Amino acid sequence: VAEMGCSFATSLISPLLTDPRGSGKGLKHCVAAGAGGEVTNDNNDGLSAYRQAALSLVVGEGSGEVSCLPSLIQIIRSGVEENAWGGHATSPRSMKLRVAAGECLAAISLAIGHILGAGVSSDSLYARARQALQIMEQEQIYEVAYKLVTSDSARSFDPSRNTPQARLREASGLTLLAVSSCSDVAASYLASNKAISNLLTIAAESLDAPSALRGEWASRGLCYLECSAMLLLRAWRSNNGNVGDGDGDSTMCVLDALDANAIGLASNFLTRRVYIKQHDKAYSQMRIKIATCYMLAAMFGIALRGEREEKDNVRANSFGGRGGGAAASRLYSAIDADCAAALASGAGSDGSRTDLVANSVSLLSATLPYAHRFANEEADEPLPMMDLSEACLLAVGSMCGAAESEEILSNLNGSQISKYSHTQSDASQLACRALTTPVKDNRTPNAIAAPLLPSVLVGALGESLVHPALRLTLAIAQNGSSHDDNVLGELARSGMLVPVGDILQHSLSSGERDMFSMAIAIVRFCGPSCTAANYADRSSSGSIASLQNSIRTLSYVLMIIENGGDTMNLHRRKTLLALKYESLLALEALSSNEAMHSALVDAFPSLTEFLMQLDNVSSGMDDSSTTTNGVCKDDMVCAALKTIRSIISFPSSSSSPSVALNGMISSLVKILNRSYDENETDSSIDNRKQEVSLELLHTIALGGTNNMEHNVGSSLLSSGVLDAVMSFLGGETGTKLSDKMTSLGLDIVDFVISDINPTNPATVRQFIDSVASHEPFLRALIATMIAAKGGSPDKETPAYSLYGKPLFRPNTADYDLYHTATSALCNISSLLCIDVSGSGKEHFLHAFMLKDLRGAVSEAVSLASCIFLEMLMDEVNGVCVPQSNPADQSFFFDVKLPIMRSCLMEVLALSLEECMTSGNNISRKLICDFKIPQMCLSFCQSNKVFQAAFELYETAVPPLPIDVIGDLLLSDKSSLVALFDLVTAGKNHSVQDFEHKKQTFAHTLGSLAKAGFLSAAVERFGVRNNAIAALSAAMQGSDDGIIDDNEDSLPRICVESLAAILCKKNQKDELDITALEARAMATAIGKILSSTVLNRFFTQASLETTFHH
């Protein structure tokens, strides 16, 4: 009776087993559900009535109906380790009855799996199927079926024999396939018991034999292969990396598959020939290839995810230390072994790749052109060419390193680089050639060969292929270009950007987040390569127009505002912000394509408006929160600023960006004025926003001025940019900035200063007020100048420490950064010092002389003054000398430079005098190291700085020992000649109280002459004539008229100096003078010498007369 009942029930639902449509969509449903996509409704496949009948056997429509499921399970369970199920053992039922029950149970399972996989959760049929699944899980049908499949009694020496045991085993395999597709409990049980390895082994043994209960269209091992693929797909598509609701780790699933030689089996299955003319056999072969492709897609996908998780330390050291990277390592080792085996067999003699990766791409290129044709074949079940193409696209996409929806953004940022990128790159290049090579449709007369990719993406070969094709295209664009720059160009030239642009717009309107992210990523990668010059003889107008429309779509995305404050709306806002971030990345990438410039300029207002939205609290983000793809607010701001910077750098005459910039600068100032927590360390501070803001301001100031219709420097000054930059660089954060940020900030400061008109009192006043309020910045520049020169008399206490910390480390900064810093210091100081009101100079002296500090500051001030003056010595290529504008150069030499030198020498004279008063020997070291006497003599040649130079000379030189003075002043010819000139009126006859100054210089000469240094120097430098002429002229211009006994009188000093010069080297009492020199001296000083002789004669005569009287 039981056998008759089972047979009758099976006859009612047997088409679910014998019809290919009864079990052909499970893997596809699993992929679609895991990807968050829309599952195709297959209720019109002609088997709906059979599925409802099968469901009625388990769960009736009425509450009082009894389910036959427990009885069916009890029948097939009998005779198989009864004690394992608990309770009392029962005698085995007949094999025929068990086979009938097994087939009935397999059909019921397939019906439930299909309804749950393709149904709608709100449907009553779906609810009944869910109830039936609960009964099956309670009865542990998965465990029963697995034990039947793997029991020793089910094995046979001849897998092709059609025996009752073989039928029962295959029916149990179909039950496992169906239950594992919809039950988390079943999938977890199978994964934890290493079912994948066992199922693949069984599939390999029986794959060549036809099915014992389904017919010629299916292989006997197909159900086991599909069940293995199902488990791997569920592991791949799970959000937590587990299979089902248990601890079946996805990495372990891949390792189990590799233990069963999954790569070798897959390589064998994919290369088998398909006999198209034999429908059933072809269908069977295609189903094997479909399952194999899904299995490979899952294995490569899990391996790639595991490698990334291990890098992020998310799941490393799980399962005995085998982290996610173990799957990738084993998988790619198996791929290499497969390639080696192929080469050993003689394949690949032309140098092409011959392993599983190449076979998968070859299968894709062989099936894709025929997918649509065979889908319309007039058969009860057309050949699954469409499903095979979809599975191939998935497999090849995973081999190319395709990221899943939650990983797309991290890959776009380049944060994940696989150590197996060479294999992914090879796969991407192979796939690119397969998809972009023009193919001619022989069915259409006069057809033109065209690439397949655009047709696939537009849905011409089937809507189900669009998503996997888009995923593969993104993987090719992302990973194929790392070793071949032409990949992106080939993709762009194929024309696929037109359907991608349509997908972008459609997915945005329909809310398909995954499709939108992939489409926008493809636009980002391939858009820059879409230029007219890159298309050769193919028209680029369609692709360029599509990209321009995409830019408008992305601009629209940036302008979308989501309101509301509940939790659901907060998630929606974060999702929207994630889409905006991806849009920004795409816009920034497209800015490198000149054909997109006009469209991007039109998008500029949207970008600036979005930047202002980010400061709005209603955006749903604070500085620490993240979007749905892990992007924080700082990421969003940086992306917006980078995109804006790219656009304003366009060589365009359009003024629309400059109008929008006027309202955006305040946002940049606000970013730069961000305060830091005192507890933040150097490593914890995130300066990304500030760095990009500086880059944008730098572009506005130096690179985007062509688009400005007004004075940029004045605008940056009045808008607070100068204050913000000086505060940012000179504050506590200044020492925590990179050299790049410091350089950008200094460039901006230097640009604003150089654009200030020093003859405009209002502008200068505004500038002085800004600098006065940011004195730490000015002192930081001074400290930088000192540190860069290594100027620290006391190495244990750096002199610059009183001024604060330098803006950068001198040992790491390059010359350009030092040049920028010193140039900014010079320009700021000069503008402060030339202020006619005097307040600017007062601010400068307050900062430079450290007037607010107590203690010994004279050393630091003296050192800073010496270094600054030394910088100002080079009047040709000096860091402070304007090099481009002649008018600026003229103003610098006529006004700025003299004022700066005078001011610094005044400061140096005061600080050196203080050092000398305190008995500090550092003053002599500074005077000698920086050659202060020579510098003073040089500056005394100019009326503009003579007074300050003389005061410094008078302070620094006379107190020095004569031997030190001799070493300094007589070390070069120019100093000696200058000293001779200064003893006469020289160029400075208009200098006030010049006689006193001449006396001071003459005293130096006299001291050098008495010490014996002067004559040797005159002879060494060959300036005897200069010396005689200068000293003679000084005596001639003296007001004394005679040479008296006063040793400090000018005539006395000059004549003694002349005597020292004219005396023979070894005979001090004999002169060495030529007739020409004698005549010249007689002409110049004959009168004073005669007057002196006569004066002495009369004095002597008077004395003698007085003595005689």
Side-chain angles (χ1 to χ4, degrees):
V1 175
E3 183 179 337
M4 290 177 59
C6 289
S7 299
F8 175 72
T10 302
S11 65
L12 295 176
I13 56 178
S14 60
L16 297 176
L17 297 175
T18 58
D19 195 310
R21 293 168 292 187
S23 59
K25 301 296 182 181
L27 296 174
K28 184 175 181 178
H29 291 167
C30 179
V31 172
E38 182 179 350
V39 179
T40 305
N41 189 347
D42 298 319
N43 292 332
N44 297 326
D45 61 355
L47 299 179
S48 298
Y50 298 105
R51 294 190 183 99
Q52 294 183 23
L55 189 58
S56 299
L57 293 175
V58 182
V59 180
E61 297 182 2
S63 59
E65 298 184 17
V66 179
S67 173
C68 67
L69 185 58
S71 301
L72 292 173
I73 296 175
Q74 187 65 31
I75 292 174
I76 64 172
R77 177 185 293 173
S78 63
V80 181
E81 301 178 9
E82 291 88 348
N83 293 331
W85 316 110
H88 300 285
T90 58
S91 57
R93 312 296 288 269
S94 67
M95 179 56 67
K96 188 175 181 180
L97 174 60
R98 295 173 64 199
V99 169
E103 293 177 358
C104 182
L105 190 58
I108 293 173
S109 300
L110 289 172
I112 294 173
H114 181 91
I115 293 172
L116 293 178
V120 182
S121 58
S122 59
D123 189 13
S124 59
L125 189 65
Y126 183 92
R128 291 173 58 201
R130 177 58 62 184
Q131 183 180 357
L133 179 62
Q134 293 176 355
I135 298 174
M136 298 172 77
E137 290 176 342
Q138 292 172 1
E139 295 293 335
Q140 298 181 343
I141 188 174
Y142 48 85
E143 187 174 2
V144 176
Y146 183 63
K147 288 186 176 295
L148 286 171
V149 168
T150 58
S151 64
D152 293 336
S153 60
R155 295 183 178 273
S156 173
F157 289 105
D158 185 7
S160 63
R161 290 182 58 195
N162 191 357
T163 63
Q165 288 83 357
R167 293 176 65 88
L168 179 60
R169 188 186 198 188
E170 186 176 357
S172 300
L174 286 171
T175 301
L176 281 181
L177 169 62
V179 175
S180 64
S181 69
C182 57
S183 171
D184 291 340
V185 176
S188 177
Y189 169 82
L190 293 173
S192 60
N193 283 275
K194 299 183 180 296
I196 294 176
S197 179
N198 292 328
L199 292 172
L200 284 177
T201 302
I202 297 171
E205 295 173 351
S206 55
L207 207 60
D208 292 330
S211 172
L213 62 97
R214 293 199 281 179
E216 292 290 334
W217 61 267
S219 165
R220 188 171 299 182
L222 178 61
C223 59
Y224 313 117
L225 178 61
E226 289 182 334
C227 186
S228 300
M230 180 67 71
L231 293 173
L232 287 166
L233 284 174
R234 286 180 63 90
W236 179 33
R237 292 306 193 185
S238 67
N239 293 327
N240 56 7
N242 293 332
V243 185
D245 59 358
D247 59 355
D249 183 77
S250 58
T251 298
M252 299 300 295
C253 291
V254 176
L255 297 177
D256 290 343
L258 293 172
D259 289 340
N261 190 29
I263 297 302
L265 294 175
S267 184
N268 181 29
F269 298 159
L270 294 184
T271 54
R272 289 186 178 185
R273 183 178 178 184
V274 177
Y275 297 92
I276 297 294
K277 294 184 179 181
Q278 302 177 24
H279 185 276
D280 288 345
K281 188 174 182 179
Y283 192 95
S284 174
Q285 293 167 334
M286 288 186 181
R287 285 283 291 267
I288 293 173
K289 294 180 186 293
I290 291 172
T292 302
C293 287
Y294 279 126
M295 178 182 71
L296 292 173
M299 291 177 67
F300 278 91
I302 293 171
L304 181 61
R305 182 176 65 190
E307 183 192 10
R308 290 171 179 158
E309 288 177 347
E310 187 174 61
K311 285 182 179 180
D312 295 337
N313 295 320
V314 175
R315 309 192 66 214
N317 300 322
S318 62
F319 285 88
R322 291 195 292 180
S329 178
R330 283 277 309 276
L331 176 61
Y332 284 97
S333 295
I335 293 294
D336 292 339
D338 177 61
C339 183
L343 292 174
S345 65
S349 58
D350 57 350
S352 60
R353 197 177 182 102
T354 58
D355 59 354
L356 177 63
V357 174
N359 294 334
S360 301
V361 177
S362 298
L363 180 62
L364 174 64
S365 60
T367 58
L368 199 55
Y370 307 101
H372 189 66
R373 184 195 309 180
F374 283 93
N376 295 329
E377 187 178 307
E378 295 179 0
D380 291 338
E381 173 61 12
L383 291 178
M385 192 72 75
M386 188 81 70
D387 293 342
L388 179 56
S389 298
E390 181 178 352
C392 280
L393 287 169
L394 279 174
V396 175
S398 294
M399 292 175 184
C400 293
E404 302 315 306
S405 57
E406 68 276 7
E407 299 172 336
I408 289 176
L409 187 64
S410 62
N411 284 346
L412 290 180
N413 289 334
S415 58
Q416 301 290 348
I417 300 177
S418 173
K419 58 183 176 181
Y420 310 105
S421 59
H422 60 284
T423 302
Q424 296 171 359
S425 178
D426 290 346
S428 299
Q429 293 175 36
L430 289 172
C432 180
R433 285 194 289 271
L435 294 174
T436 59
T437 300
V439 177
K440 185 176 182 180
D441 188 356
N442 296 325
R443 298 175 300 167
T444 305
N446 302 323
I448 301 176
L452 288 172
L453 184 56
S455 299
V456 177
L457 292 176
V458 82
L461 304 184
E463 289 293 335
S464 62
L465 302 184
V466 175
H467 186 281
L470 198 66
R471 173 177 175 267
L472 173 57
T473 304
L474 173 57
I476 295 172
Q478 179 181 346
N479 300 319
S481 59
S482 59
H483 294 83
D484 186 359
D485 296 335
N486 195 40
V487 167
L488 297 178
E490 287 296 326
L491 288 175
R493 284 191 291 272
S494 70
M496 61 87 191
L497 286 171
V498 175
V500 167
D502 295 338
I503 293 172
L504 182 69
Q505 297 182 18
H506 179 267
S507 59
L508 177 62
S509 60
S510 61
E512 298 176 72
R513 170 75 170 83
D514 189 20
M515 295 284 283
F516 181 85
S517 295
M518 288 192 291
I520 199 173
I522 293 171
V523 168
R524 179 193 177 197
F525 280 113
C526 301
S529 300
C530 182
T531 60
N534 201 22
Y535 275 76
D537 56 340
R538 285 183 245 172
S539 175
S540 62
S541 57
S543 297
I544 292 177
S546 177
L547 282 178
Q548 292 171 341
N549 289 331
S550 297
I551 290 175
R552 285 186 277 272
T553 301
L554 299 179
S555 302
Y556 169 76
V557 172
L558 296 179
M559 298 299 293
I560 299 176
I561 300 177
E562 185 71 29
N563 297 317
D566 57 1
T567 304
M568 180 177 296
N569 281 330
L570 178 61
H571 177 76
R572 290 176 60 184
R573 287 200 301 274
K574 289 189 173 185
T575 301
L576 178 59
L577 285 170
L579 297 180
K580 292 183 178 183
Y581 180 66
E582 297 172 28
S583 301
L584 289 171
L585 295 180
L587 290 173
E588 181 187 6
L590 291 174
S591 65
S592 63
N593 188 341
E594 292 184 3
M596 301 296 111
H597 285 188
S598 59
L600 287 170
V601 169
D602 294 338
F604 193 85
S606 300
L607 287 165
T608 54
E609 177 66 25
F610 171 69
L611 184 62
M612 297 176 185
Q613 287 179 16
L614 290 176
D615 290 330
N616 191 343
V617 294
S618 64
S619 64
M621 293 189 72
D622 54 29
D623 290 339
S624 59
S625 63
T626 60
T627 65
T628 54
N629 52 12
V631 177
C632 66
K633 184 177 180 180
D634 284 358
D635 296 325
M636 306 284 291
V637 174
C638 290
L641 293 177
K642 287 180 180 179
T643 308
I644 293 172
R645 185 192 64 193
S646 300
I647 294 177
I648 66 172
S649 300
F650 294 162
S652 171
S653 59
S654 173
S655 60
S656 57
S658 61
V659 175
L661 279 174
N662 292 331
M664 186 190 64
I665 291 179
S666 60
S667 298
L668 301 178
V669 171
K670 186 183 298 183
I671 293 173
L672 292 178
N673 287 333
R674 176 205 173 213
S675 60
Y676 288 86
D677 191 338
E678 295 180 356
N679 297 323
E680 285 184 302
T681 61
D682 291 356
S683 59
S684 64
I685 291 179
D686 187 357
N687 286 322
R688 289 179 300 155
K689 287 194 303 183
Q690 287 75 14
E691 180 174 346
V692 182
S693 298
L694 288 173
E695 290 176 347
L696 178 53
L697 287 171
H698 189 271
T699 303
I700 294 173
L702 305 180
T705 56
N706 291 335
N707 290 335
M708 297 294 190
E709 297 179 352
H710 54 280
N711 189 304
V712 182
S714 298
S715 175
L716 296 179
L717 176 62
S718 60
S719 61
V721 170
L722 182 62
D723 291 87
V725 174
M726 289 193 297
S727 176
F728 184 64
L729 295 180
E732 290 296 325
T733 62
T735 59
K736 304 173 183 178
L737 305 179
S738 65
D739 289 349
K740 177 183 178 182
M741 296 179 67
T742 303
S743 177
L744 290 170
L746 290 174
D747 276 343
I748 295 169
V749 171
D750 203 34
F751 173 81
V752 176
I753 296 172
S754 63
D755 208 39
I756 294 176
N757 184 1
T759 61
N760 186 335
T763 305
V764 174
R765 181 73 261 167
Q766 186 179 8
F767 167 77
I768 292 174
D769 292 340
S770 296
V771 175
S773 60
H774 300 289
E775 188 173 284
F777 172 71
L778 180 56
R779 287 185 174 176
L781 288 176
I782 300 171
T784 304
M785 175 190 68
I786 299 174
K789 283 294 185 180
S792 178
D794 184 356
K795 296 299 182 183
E796 295 182 359
T797 307
Y800 59 74
S801 62
L802 295 176
Y803 288 98
K805 293 183 178 180
L807 293 178
F808 55 84
R809 296 178 181 177
N811 57 337
T812 61
D814 56 14
Y815 175 77
D816 290 338
L817 184 53
Y818 165 73
H819 184 282
T820 306
T822 52
S823 176
L825 173 61
C826 182
N827 288 330
I828 292 175
S829 303
S830 62
L831 279 176
L832 291 176
C833 292
I834 65 175
D835 176 33
V836 294
S837 67
S839 61
K841 183 177 181 180
E842 182 181 347
H843 289 307
F844 171 75
L845 293 177
H846 185 274
F848 198 90
M849 299 184 70
L850 303 170
K851 290 186 176 182
D852 56 332
L853 299 182
R854 294 182 179 180
V857 299
S858 56
E859 294 181 23
V861 176
S862 297
L863 177 61
S865 303
C866 290
I867 295 175
F868 208 159
L869 283 168
E870 185 183 51
M871 285 196 318
L872 296 175
M873 289 295 293
D874 187 354
E875 299 183 8
V876 179
N877 298 314
V879 295
C880 301
V881 179
Q883 299 296 330
S884 56
N885 193 331
D888 291 342
Q889 287 186 355
S890 177
F891 186 78
F892 174 79
F893 289 120
D894 294 341
V895 180
K896 286 185 176 181
L897 185 59
I899 291 179
M900 281 299 303
R901 284 174 171 173
S902 296
C903 183
L904 290 171
M905 284 189 288
E906 291 173 8
V907 172
L908 180 57
L910 292 173
S911 57
L912 282 179
E913 185 177 10
E914 186 176 342
C915 287
M916 293 175 180
T917 303
S918 63
N920 196 330
N921 293 328
I922 190 64
S923 57
R924 180 184 298 183
K925 178 175 176 58
L926 290 175
I927 293 171
C928 296
D929 289 347
F930 290 93
K931 300 180 179 180
I932 299 299
Q934 296 96 312
M935 180 180 65
C936 291
L937 292 178
S938 175
F939 289 163
C940 282
Q941 303 297 310
S942 170
N943 288 337
K944 295 180 179 179
V945 296
F946 183 90
Q947 184 64 34
F950 174 77
E951 291 176 359
L952 176 60
Y953 181 91
E954 194 173 29
T955 301
V957 177
L960 295 175
I962 191 60
D963 57 334
V964 175
I965 297 177
D967 291 339
L968 292 173
L969 294 184
L970 303 181
S971 60
D972 61 89
K973 180 179 178 179
S974 59
S975 297
L976 181 57
V977 172
L979 190 59
F980 285 140
D981 289 342
L982 290 171
V983 173
T984 65
K987 302 176 182 179
N988 300 292
H989 58 276
S990 61
V991 175
Q992 187 177 8
D993 194 20
F994 187 67
E995 289 302 318
H996 167 69
K997 298 174 176 57
K998 285 172 51 177
Q999 188 79 15
T1000 303
F1001 295 128
H1003 188 275
T1004 303
L1005 279 176
S1007 300
L1008 293 172
K1010 288 180 181 180
F1013 299 138
L1014 183 61
S1015 59
V1018 168
E1019 182 178 354
R1020 183 171 66 251
F1021 295 122
V1023 293
R1024 180 183 173 99
N1025 292 336
N1026 300 72
I1028 294 173
L1031 293 172
S1032 300
M1035 292 176 63
Q1036 186 180 19
S1038 174
D1039 296 333
D1040 294 345
I1042 60 172
I1043 303 172
D1044 55 20
D1045 293 333
N1046 183 7
E1047 294 184 354
D1048 292 330
S1049 68
L1050 181 60
R1052 179 66 178 263
I1053 295 173
C1054 290
V1055 75
E1056 289 178 351
S1057 299
L1058 278 172
I1061 295 172
L1062 297 176
C1063 284
K1064 289 186 177 181
K1065 187 173 184 181
N1066 298 323
Q1067 299 177 8
K1068 299 299 183 180
D1069 57 348
E1070 186 176 346
L1071 295 178
D1072 179 16
I1073 185 171
T1074 66
L1076 182 62
E1077 292 173 342
R1079 283 194 298 271
M1081 291 176 61
T1083 302
I1085 61 175
K1087 180 180 179 180
I1088 192 171
L1089 288 176
S1090 299
S1091 299
T1092 301
V1093 171
L1094 290 173
N1095 181 63
R1096 285 180 177 272
F1097 174 80
F1098 289 130
T1099 301
Q1100 184 65 29
S1102 176
L1103 288 174
E1104 290 178 354
T1105 302
T1106 303
F1107 178 76
H1108 289 298
H1109 286 289

